[in-house]
């Protein structure tokens, strides 16, 4: 007889204990909601991406793991060339929703 799969170690105890108590219909509804929530977090539209002060958005591309943003940035040093408009980069970021804001994950310099 198969054994019930263990919950992920990172799952809070109240979920690890409560989710298995749900009936099949509620578990399927929960799975659908989780899938929708993951898609919402990863699907950041181009119009939701704003360049900050001293930044220039070069490209925005949708991908399955989040929205890819290529941007140039200012380092903020007073005597740097970027203060006269010659920004650093371009750099690649993956942008995802984190609560009510956007999370930016730095992926490195764009070499192409």
């Amino acid at each position: 007889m198969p054994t019930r799969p263990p919950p992920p170690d990172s799952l809070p105890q109240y979920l690890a204990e409560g989710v298995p108590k749900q009936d099949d219909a509620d578990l399927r509804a929960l799975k659908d909601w989780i899938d929708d929530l993951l898609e919402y977090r990863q699907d950041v539209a181009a119009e939701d991406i704003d360049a900050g002060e001293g930044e220039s958005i070069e490209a925005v591309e949708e991908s399955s793991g989040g929205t890819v943003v290529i941007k140039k940035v200012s380092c903020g040093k007073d005597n740097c060339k970027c203060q006269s408009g010659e920004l650093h980069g371009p750099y690649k970021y993956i942008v995802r929703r984190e609560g009510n804001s956007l999370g930016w994950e730095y992926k490195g310099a764009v070499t192409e």
Side-chain angles (χ1 to χ4, degrees), residues 3-111:
T3 59
R4 184 170 80 184
D9 291 337
S10 61
L11 196 65
Q13 185 176 358
Y14 71 94
L15 289 174
E17 292 174 356
V19 170
K21 296 176 183 177
Q22 306 309 306
D23 63 25
D24 289 354
D26 286 341
L27 286 174
R28 285 186 185 89
L30 179 60
K31 180 184 177 300
D32 291 344
W33 179 70
I34 289 170
D35 289 342
D36 290 345
L37 184 58
L38 286 168
E39 184 177 331
Y40 166 76
R41 287 183 177 181
Q42 294 176 358
D43 185 24
V44 178
E47 56 267 12
D48 293 338
I49 307 286
D50 291 322
E53 187 176 333
E55 297 179 344
S56 170
I57 302 293
E58 303 296 307
V60 178
E61 303 168 7
E62 294 179 17
S63 77
S64 60
T67 301
V68 176
V69 176
I70 307 297
K71 70 178 180 177
K72 292 184 176 182
V73 298
S74 169
C75 68
K77 295 178 183 173
D78 290 336
N79 59 349
C80 185
K81 64 182 181 178
C82 66
Q83 297 306 311
S84 62
E86 193 176 338
L87 299 175
H88 302 282
Y91 301 110
K92 179 179 180 179
Y93 297 83
I94 302 294
V95 181
R96 296 181 187 92
R97 295 186 191 281
E98 295 178 355
N100 293 328
S101 61
L102 299 179
W104 292 73
E105 181 183 351
Y106 176 73
K107 298 307 249 181
V110 175
T111 57

